[in-house]
Amino acid sequence: MDLNQMGQAAKSAATVLGQLSTIEKNRALNLMADELQKQVSEILVANKIDIDSAEENGIKGVMLDRLKLDNERIDAMADGLRQVSSLADPIGEEIKGWVTEDGLNISQVRVPLGVLGMIFEARPNVTVDAAGLAFKSGNAVILRGGKEALHSNIELAKVLRTALKENGFPVDAVQMIDNPDHAIANQLMNLTEYVDVLIPRGSAKFIQMVVQNSTVPVIETGAGNCHIYVDETADLKQAVNIIVNAKTQRPSVCNAMEKLVVQRSIAKEFLPMVEEALHAYNVELRGDEAAKEVLPDIKLATEEDWSTEYNDFIMAINVVDTLDEAISHINKYNTKHSEAIITKSYDASQKFTKEIDAAVVYVNASTRFTDGFKFGFGAEIGISTQKLHARGPMGLNELTSTKYIVRGEGQVRR
């Protein structure tokens, strides 16, 4: 595998993509969606190889679920492509315009980033989501998935490329690295001649490894040590319902809840309600000493627990005296992803939303909604937890840059 050749091919494809009309891009996306549903059998055969290998290597439970594809999930990926095709095309959009004192007409317009590099772990749906969003926003993409989903990713990319090739679109707009060797990943991280932006998706440790080793600019995404704080004014039944959803609906994903923070004045009444509700899902509870006093059967949390993203049916509980203490605890241990408060107090909700440092802050809702699809972006290429041009779920606009178009009538500077 020659990454330089892949980079050159991606650069050439990006040039062609930048000239496609919205109608052409939408047609390509719908053709890719159709091809996914035509090739379900082949995709599932490849996925079974990955699933069997994962089981042999001791991967199970929610982490195995992240790898698994079925007809419903493939349909969902195809639907995601179709929804992206229905969204407004950001390329060429005029963000603002003005006339200067020199009579120059200046406009700022959206343009593609160019070539995206994606390094991600486990979840094969990222292949399709990233390819679709990149294509609609005029970017070529080079994908490098984890070894656990290697066969699935290769087959998905093959299907997408088939749809492009058979219909006259630039096939190298979507390329998949088929070698899981770490040396290849390191080469991609430093392919500055061809790759404009690198987007990693995976665990906090994985993302930091990419950030520390890449010379290509990186948009950090999605490790999610997400908290829900239950205020003393909260509707406790509503809070339980939200917590059960946020923790158990799909615990392996980055927007799943990992920590519960509870105001001390309601802990004795509320924590047994939580324990009972989560018992049905076999959630292992851990907690500080105050939580253990109320729930004596739970494990005592360690310092490591507070900063751990479990991605499993595990949750830790911290009891606090005040809203300020809750905010301080969350800002100390969170990953700047998604945080929530359950409260009937407007003042408490305002203070929480202003002072919590995270990409998405919720009032009386589950953290599971931090998702490009749920936000109306079609799909997402990741959830940015940093503070540059992209923060939160990254849709089409976040995959663009801008340039200034300046029109004059012979002006020269004096």
Side-chain angles (χ1 to χ4, degrees):
M1 174 169 291
D2 188 330
L3 271 190
N4 282 302
Q5 288 184 2
M6 291 182 74
Q8 291 169 5
K11 207 80 171 176
S12 296
T15 299
V16 177
L17 277 174
Q19 308 308 312
L20 293 181
S21 68
T22 301
I23 292 173
E24 290 172 315
K25 288 189 285 187
N26 290 345
R27 179 169 173 265
L29 289 165
N30 284 301
L31 288 166
M32 286 191 278
D34 293 343
E35 194 68 23
L36 280 174
Q37 292 181 307
K38 287 179 187 175
Q39 303 298 335
V40 168
S41 297
E42 288 77 3
I43 295 168
L44 294 180
V45 167
N47 184 243
K48 188 175 186 307
I49 297 172
D50 291 330
I51 293 294
D52 290 346
S53 177
E55 289 177 331
E56 289 174 8
N57 287 298
I59 297 175
K60 54 187 177 181
V62 295
M63 300 310 290
L64 190 65
D65 180 66
R66 292 176 67 156
L67 286 173
K68 186 177 181 181
L69 294 177
D70 54 26
N71 288 66
E72 184 178 350
R73 290 185 177 181
I74 294 170
D75 283 344
M77 289 189 287
D79 288 344
L81 289 175
R82 294 188 182 104
Q83 184 165 346
V84 170
S85 77
S86 71
L87 297 174
D89 188 346
I91 301 306
E93 174 194 355
E94 183 175 309
I95 299 169
K96 58 185 177 181
W98 68 98
V99 178
T100 70
E101 62 180 10
D102 296 304
L104 296 173
N105 192 313
I106 301 179
S107 58
Q108 184 185 26
V109 299
R110 290 195 186 278
V111 296
L113 289 169
V115 176
L116 308 179
M118 279 285 299
I119 301 181
F120 56 100
E121 294 179 316
R123 296 169 61 189
N125 66 290
V126 175
T127 296
V128 176
D129 291 349
L133 285 168
F135 197 95
K136 180 67 179 263
S137 55
N139 298 290
V141 64
I142 299 174
L143 301 153
R144 192 271 188 184
K147 63 180 180 181
E148 297 85 1
L150 180 64
H151 298 87
S152 305
N153 289 330
I154 290 172
E155 185 63 31
L156 287 168
K158 177 184 174 183
V159 169
L160 299 178
R161 285 169 60 86
T162 296
L164 294 174
K165 183 177 181 180
E166 290 183 351
N167 292 280
F169 293 102
V171 66
D172 290 323
V174 179
Q175 297 184 80
M176 173 65 68
I177 295 173
D178 60 11
N179 185 341
D181 193 312
H182 289 298
I184 300 295
N186 285 332
Q187 188 180 349
L188 179 60
M189 293 179 212
N190 294 281
L191 204 65
T192 54
E193 185 176 354
Y194 303 110
V195 178
D196 296 288
V197 176
L198 190 64
I199 304 172
R201 284 184 64 169
S203 67
K205 181 179 179 181
F206 171 78
I207 291 167
Q208 286 308 305
M209 180 277 293
V210 174
V211 170
Q212 291 165 12
N213 288 280
S214 178
T215 54
V216 174
V218 175
I219 298 177
E220 294 183 46
T221 66
N225 187 27
C226 303
H227 300 71
I228 290 180
Y229 169 60
V230 182
D231 176 65
E232 62 184 353
T233 68
D235 179 326
L236 299 189
K237 289 184 179 179
Q238 181 189 80
V240 169
N241 187 49
I242 290 171
I243 289 164
V244 169
N245 175 262
K247 179 68 257 180
T248 69
Q249 198 221 11
R250 200 170 181 195
S252 64
V253 295
C254 61
N255 58 22
M257 171 194 182
E258 302 288 18
K259 306 296 183 302
L260 172 62
V261 183
V262 177
Q263 194 148 1
R264 190 179 302 274
S265 61
I266 61 168
K268 288 183 180 180
E269 178 185 4
F270 181 62
L271 290 182
M273 295 169 63
V274 174
E275 183 180 43
E276 181 181 2
L278 292 178
H279 179 73
Y281 299 90
N282 296 314
V283 176
E284 177 188 319
L285 297 180
R286 304 173 185 180
D288 61 10
E289 291 182 358
K292 191 166 173 57
E293 284 181 13
V294 179
L295 306 176
D297 293 333
I298 70 174
K299 291 184 177 181
L300 188 64
T302 66
E303 178 63 24
E304 183 180 4
D305 276 303
W306 304 125
S307 56
T308 297
E309 181 186 17
Y310 299 120
N311 293 131
D312 204 346
F313 287 96
I314 304 170
M315 188 180 79
I317 304 168
N318 177 242
V319 177
V320 298
D321 289 310
T322 65
L323 174 57
D324 283 327
E325 188 180 343
I327 291 170
S328 177
H329 177 87
I330 292 169
N331 282 339
K332 180 178 179 180
Y333 292 106
N334 77 352
T335 50
K336 315 277 188 273
H337 194 294
S338 300
E339 310 297 341
I341 182 173
I342 314 301
T343 184
K344 291 180 182 178
S345 167
Y346 175 78
D347 288 342
S349 69
Q350 287 295 93
K351 181 178 178 65
F352 190 87
T353 57
K354 287 180 180 179
E355 296 185 19
I356 286 294
D357 185 9
V360 185
V361 184
Y362 291 90
V363 178
N364 297 327
S366 170
T367 58
R368 285 286 288 116
F369 288 102
T370 304
D371 178 275
F373 187 82
K374 288 296 185 181
F375 273 36
F377 300 161
E380 70 180 32
I381 205 162
I383 297 169
S384 172
T385 54
Q386 64 185 32
K387 298 180 181 179
L388 299 180
H389 86 289
R391 199 176 194 202
M394 295 170 59
L396 295 172
N397 285 348
E398 287 71 31
L399 298 182
T400 67
S401 183
T402 65
K403 67 179 175 183
Y404 292 98
I405 308 298
V406 184
R407 294 180 172 86
E409 297 177 336
Q411 290 95 328
V412 294
R413 184 168 179 173
R414 300 187 186 280

